[in-house]
């Protein structure tokens, strides 16, 4: 992260305000909308009317409800404010471009990252401004900083987003205690890679990512950590160029929902190719259950946040995709991103976190 930026109190205050609004949306608006929906269900049941059994049916039920409209509008526009408002992330980091150039160069020169100047991004990746981030996380030199700062408030209930990544790291290591080599696909600016390379000094860790600006920031942070056991590489997760059969763990965090299903299939095939016999593939992502209201919320989030591949991931045949890649058994487990979020009474909005786990036969 950018440690040497001059302080801008207006920017900090503006971003704190957006975060406070997002917390209200998470803790108050979401439970209120859920209660409204439950009331509707109760009156339908009492009247002997059919209950909604699909996202479209929930949409129809809530279409004219002011709270549902406010909920959706607030989510979309808070995200827009966060990135593009007067003190949004994009104008803020653009204004500090010169200050950041040296840090980025230090990342590029660290010897920890292999960049490909002629790299051609996949079409699906450049077609959308993901997260409502103008230009996406790849097209501007300072995009990695924008993403790093933005990611701190993506899951607003968590005190420090890093905790989520540490909790996931522990889940991975519970299944593969001391891997010799581990690859983190779609590593972004290195947040998901860092707990592995700092916690496992004997493990050779590789981070794969499309975005050069994110990779430079990841390398810069690793250099500051004085890490010797990590390398970052600009490549597609579906075609990493890494040697076959050499990794004990292939992992990703929040990668699969950013890809169309065909690309997920190819990434699973690549994961299988990279793994040594007996190695484990474990992806952390978002999968809802069949509850129509939870799906309606998740699919709405996908639209409002410019993340079009969340519904296709949710609906694709993941077991079949793993089988076709060569994996024999697939396990999908809920992931508790902070204590208590899987408890039945947990009422606030959260992502439907899930771990997607498979092994290459020994
Ligand atoms: C939501 S971010 C998660 C980043 C990181 N894993 C984390 O947890 O902070 C998803 C990342 O996947 C990258 N990505 C998307 N498609 C990819 C692909 N085909 N190959 C490699 N990286 C990809 C994006 O550039 C983005 O940085």
């Amino acid at each position: 992260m950018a440690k040497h930026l001059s302080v801008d109190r207006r920017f900090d205050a503006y971003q704190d305000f957006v975060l406070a609004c997002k917390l209200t949306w998470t803790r108050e608006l979401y439970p209120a909308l859920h209660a409204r929906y439950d009331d509707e269900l109760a009156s339908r049941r009492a009247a002997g009317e059919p209950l909604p059994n699909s996202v479209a049916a929930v949409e129809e039920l809530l279409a004219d409800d002011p709270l549902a409209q406010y909920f959706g509008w607030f989510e979309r526009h808070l995200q827009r404010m966060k990135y593009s408002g007067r003190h949004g992330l994009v104008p803020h980091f653009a204004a500090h471009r010169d200050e950041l150039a040296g840090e980025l160069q230090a990342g590029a020169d660290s010897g920890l990252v292999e960049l490909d100047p002629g790299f051609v991004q996949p079409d699906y990746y450049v077609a959308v401004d993901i997260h409502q981030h103008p230009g996406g996380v790849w097209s501007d030199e300072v995009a990695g900083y924008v993403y790093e700062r933005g990611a701190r408030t993506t899951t607003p209930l968590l005190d420090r987003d890093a905790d989520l990544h540490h909790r996931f790291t522990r889940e991975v290591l519970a299944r593969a205690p001391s891997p010799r080599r581990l690859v983190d696909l779609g590593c972004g600016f290195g947040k998901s890679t860092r707990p592995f390379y700092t916690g496992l000094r004997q493990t050779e860790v590789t981070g794969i990512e499309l975005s050069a600006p994110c990779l430079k920031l990841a390398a810069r942070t690793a250099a500051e950590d004085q890490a010797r056991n990590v390398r970052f590489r600009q490549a597609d997760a579906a075609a990493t160029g890494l040697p076959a059969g050499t990794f004990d763990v292939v992992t990703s965090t929040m990668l699969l929902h950013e890809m169309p299903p065909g690309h997920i299939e190819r990434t699973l095939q690549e994961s299988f190719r990279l793994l040594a016999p007996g190695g484990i593939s474990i992806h952390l992502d978002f999968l809802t259950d069949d509850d129509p209201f939870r799906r309606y919320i998740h699919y709405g989030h996908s639209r409002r946040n410019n993340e079009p591949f969340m519904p296709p991931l949710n609906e694709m045949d993941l077991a079949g995709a793993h089988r076709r890649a060569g994996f024999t058994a697939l396990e999908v487990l809920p992931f508790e991103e902070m204590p208590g979020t899987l408890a039945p009474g947990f009422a606030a909005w959260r992502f439907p976190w899930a771990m997607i786990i498979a092994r290459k036969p020994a």
Side-chain angles (χ1 to χ4, degrees):
M1 68 188 245
K3 295 195 173 70
H4 315 299
L5 271 193
S6 48
V7 174
D8 180 342
R9 291 191 201 291
R10 283 166 308 179
F11 168 75
D12 288 338
Y14 178 94
Q15 291 293 330
D16 285 350
F17 171 73
V18 174
L19 174 59
C21 293
K22 190 73 193 275
L23 276 166
T24 305
W25 177 89
T26 306
R27 287 199 192 116
E28 291 176 29
L29 277 189
Y30 174 79
L33 182 60
H34 205 165
R36 177 76 53 89
Y37 177 74
D38 286 344
D39 287 348
E40 274 293 335
L41 291 192
S43 52
R44 286 196 167 207
R45 266 192 212 98
E49 291 171 5
L51 302 182
N53 58 3
S54 65
V55 172
V58 180
E59 268 169 9
E60 197 185 325
L61 182 77
L62 294 176
D64 297 326
D65 186 297
L67 184 58
Q69 291 169 353
Y70 180 42
F71 177 87
W73 186 93
F74 211 37
E75 181 179 30
R76 174 118 184 120
H77 288 271
L78 284 176
Q79 187 76 355
R80 182 172 294 176
M81 283 175 73
K82 171 165 140 174
Y83 279 98
S84 307
R86 179 135 187 241
H87 298 289
L89 299 168
V90 167
H92 175 75
F93 285 101
H96 290 86
R97 198 179 289 286
D98 294 343
E99 272 180 78
L100 296 170
E103 283 196 15
L104 286 167
Q105 196 57 47
D109 295 342
S110 63
L112 300 182
V113 61
E114 196 181 330
L115 299 169
D116 176 354
F119 192 75
V120 179
Q121 301 289 358
D123 290 345
Y124 79 84
Y125 189 65
V126 301
V128 176
D129 281 349
I130 195 96
H131 310 145
Q132 292 201 54
H133 178 163
V137 301
W138 62 278
S139 69
D140 187 305
E141 267 298 291
V142 296
Y145 290 95
V146 172
Y147 183 30
E148 190 277 330
R149 185 65 173 75
R152 291 189 221 170
T153 55
T154 302
T155 45
L157 283 181
L158 303 184
D159 288 343
R160 291 185 329 116
D161 243 8
D163 186 47
L164 177 163
H165 292 88
H166 284 100
R167 289 172 78 86
F168 179 57
T169 301
R170 287 200 288 276
E171 292 283 352
V172 173
L173 297 183
R175 292 163 177 85
S178 42
R180 279 163 307 154
R181 291 193 195 86
L182 174 148
V183 59
D184 181 24
L185 303 175
C187 66
F189 56 88
K191 194 172 188 174
S192 49
T193 326
R194 197 166 180 231
F196 290 114
Y197 71 72
T198 54
L200 298 169
R201 295 287 182 180
Q202 304 305 318
T203 302
E204 285 177 35
V205 177
T206 305
I208 295 290
E209 169 59 48
L210 296 173
S211 158
C214 285
L215 284 164
K216 288 181 196 172
L217 181 52
R220 154 88 195 187
T221 305
E224 284 180 346
D225 289 336
Q226 301 190 335
R228 297 185 198 290
N229 58 332
V230 66
R231 292 290 179 279
F232 294 97
R233 179 178 166 82
Q234 187 174 23
D236 193 320
T240 60
L242 297 170
T246 51
F247 289 88
D248 303 308
V249 178
V250 174
T251 183
S252 78
T253 300
M254 298 183 279
L255 168 68
L256 301 184
H257 76 268
E258 294 203 355
M259 297 172 160
H263 219 84
I264 295 176
E265 290 255 0
R266 287 189 284 283
T267 298
L268 295 176
Q269 286 158 13
E270 178 68 351
S271 304
F272 191 84
R273 188 188 74 79
L274 292 175
L275 282 174
I280 189 167
S281 153
I282 171 162
H283 301 281
L284 178 62
D285 224 290
F286 310 129
L287 294 175
T288 66
D289 57 18
D290 290 340
D291 176 77
F293 180 76
R294 281 193 285 274
R295 277 203 177 193
Y296 156 84
I297 294 291
H298 189 52
Y299 287 18
H301 172 81
S302 157
R303 263 198 324 275
R304 294 187 282 269
N305 224 38
N306 290 3
E307 306 210 46
F309 304 118
M310 281 175 168
L313 169 65
N314 214 73
E315 288 166 21
M316 77 180 275
D317 174 14
L318 272 174
H322 278 78
R323 211 172 36 247
R324 287 188 286 281
F327 293 102
T328 43
L330 174 69
E331 203 183 0
V332 177
L333 296 176
F335 172 72
E336 192 177 50
E337 74 280 18
M338 71 177 198
T341 52
L342 293 181
F346 186 81
W349 175 88
R350 65 183 285 271
F351 279 117
W353 294 99
M355 296 186 290
I356 301 159
I357 307 168
R359 276 194 192 269
K360 183 165 181 169

